[in-house]
Amino acid sequence: MDHISGHVLRALWYLDSMASQGIVLTRDDVNRIATVTPPRDVIYRSFLNPLAGSELFESSVPSRRAQPVANYLVNVDWASETPEGLKITNKGRAVLRLSGADEHEHAVHEPVVNDVALSPDDPLVYTVLTRRLAAAGEGMLVDPYFKAENLRWIIEATSIKRILISKKASAKERPIISVALGTLPNGQNVEVRATGDPNLHDRRIISADGYVQMIGTSINGVGRHETAMMSPEPAIAKAYRDSSEQLWKNAEKVEPRQLKAPVETDEASDRE
């Protein structure tokens, strides 16, 4: 493969990587990753250790400093400028996951997301649950048995943007969820989809930055049953994350519906 230049192979890797994440690239996307030069990383000087013969040791003084990366990330569309600041794009998150770097970071920082028991005897159980959901940012809640009565709380107390439910389990609840989405203030900020896939069972939270937390019971059962929230191993977390995205992609959107006031008839007017 020596006859194929590095930037061509890099473009092919990027094209294949994005396809595996369900992202279709344009010609400009592919050209950017091939032509935009990545920033250099830092390099430290190495010296011979006079006390250990030919053994090399690294100095803390860099011989070449790392270059800034923000412009590069924006130029290749791995990040975007928003009024709030720089945010990772779907393409950037896909690259991060495929590189394995996100799993390493999750493993290193896992103590921040500790497992926690949710006891019905704990007066703060809903506070704990709300804090965990709020920490997920604009993430996804996967709960086959989600009820419309919890939608206002999700909208007002968290930033969750997606809720995935089961078609079979929510047959009677979906029309109520539809009305709640259409009538609650800021109901348009949340999208609910229903999947008929029988593989949907385990309740979980997929945070905006990829963390996965398992919930032992439906949100409706918290405070009534003894349960817990747990963080799976990185490989298991990735499997849940990928399957959740696939289920979401193929699920049917629950359309918001606004109820109209009944039309007053002449007969009703005559009775007044």
Side-chain angles (χ1 to χ4, degrees):
M1 301 292 287
D2 292 342
H3 61 290
I4 301 179
S5 60
H7 78 295
V8 172
L9 293 176
R10 187 167 67 246
L12 286 174
W13 165 82
Y14 185 48
L15 191 60
D16 182 61
S17 298
M18 293 300 101
S20 72
Q21 298 294 302
I23 298 176
V24 180
L25 301 177
T26 66
R27 287 174 177 263
D28 288 340
D29 291 331
V30 177
N31 285 335
R32 272 198 298 269
I33 197 65
T35 59
V36 178
T37 304
R40 296 190 307 269
D41 197 359
V42 65
I43 292 180
Y44 291 94
R45 295 190 182 97
S46 295
F47 300 94
L48 285 175
N49 186 344
L51 301 178
S54 60
E55 182 181 341
L56 290 173
F57 70 95
E58 282 193 341
S59 165
S60 60
V61 179
S63 60
R64 185 184 74 189
R65 297 189 179 279
Q67 292 182 320
V69 300
N71 287 342
Y72 172 74
L73 294 177
V74 172
N75 287 340
V76 297
D77 198 27
W78 289 354
S80 61
E81 288 280 3
T82 71
E84 295 79 24
L86 204 62
K87 288 189 176 181
I88 190 170
T89 62
N90 288 337
K91 294 172 188 173
R93 185 167 286 113
V95 170
L96 183 63
R97 288 174 183 165
L98 287 162
S99 71
D102 66 328
E103 303 299 344
H104 172 71
E105 290 299 319
H106 291 181
V108 170
H109 298 293
E110 197 62 33
V112 176
V113 190
N114 295 322
D115 297 344
V116 62
L118 299 174
S119 171
D121 298 327
D122 183 357
L124 297 178
V125 63
Y126 291 107
T127 303
V128 174
L129 178 61
T130 301
R131 184 176 292 115
R132 293 302 174 101
L133 280 164
E138 297 180 355
M140 181 198 310
L141 170 63
V142 180
D143 186 347
Y145 299 92
F146 183 83
K147 299 285 188 184
E149 64 199 51
N150 292 315
L151 199 54
R152 179 189 292 274
W153 161 64
I154 290 288
I155 293 170
E156 294 180 353
T158 80
S159 299
I160 292 292
K161 292 294 185 185
R162 298 184 290 169
I163 301 174
L164 182 63
I165 62 177
S166 163
K167 270 189 178 180
K168 183 178 180 180
S170 67
K172 295 181 179 179
E173 192 70 18
R174 281 202 312 279
I176 306 173
I177 292 175
S178 178
V179 172
L181 288 170
T183 55
L184 283 173
N186 300 316
Q188 73 279 1
N189 292 342
V190 178
E191 182 176 346
V192 179
R193 292 190 186 183
T195 176
D197 196 312
N199 292 318
L200 180 65
H201 179 268
D202 295 340
R203 294 82 166 172
R204 61 255 193 192
I205 303 168
I206 314 293
S207 73
D209 55 4
Y211 285 106
V212 177
Q213 285 230 282
M214 309 303 298
I215 313 175
T217 186
S218 175
I219 294 294
N220 317 310
V222 173
R224 294 189 304 212
H225 309 294
E226 193 79 33
T227 188
M229 297 183 71
M230 296 168 287
S231 304
E233 296 286 335
I236 298 174
K238 183 179 187 304
Y240 272 114
R241 189 165 54 239
D242 292 346
S243 66
S244 299
E245 291 295 345
Q246 189 61 38
L247 288 169
W248 176 264
K249 179 180 177 182
N250 297 324
E252 179 182 324
K253 182 179 180 181
V254 178
E255 296 290 348
R257 185 164 66 93
Q258 292 184 340
L259 292 180
K260 295 182 179 179
V263 177
E264 189 177 81
T265 63
D266 293 338
E267 181 180 348
S269 300
D270 293 340
R271 288 199 300 266
E272 291 182 356

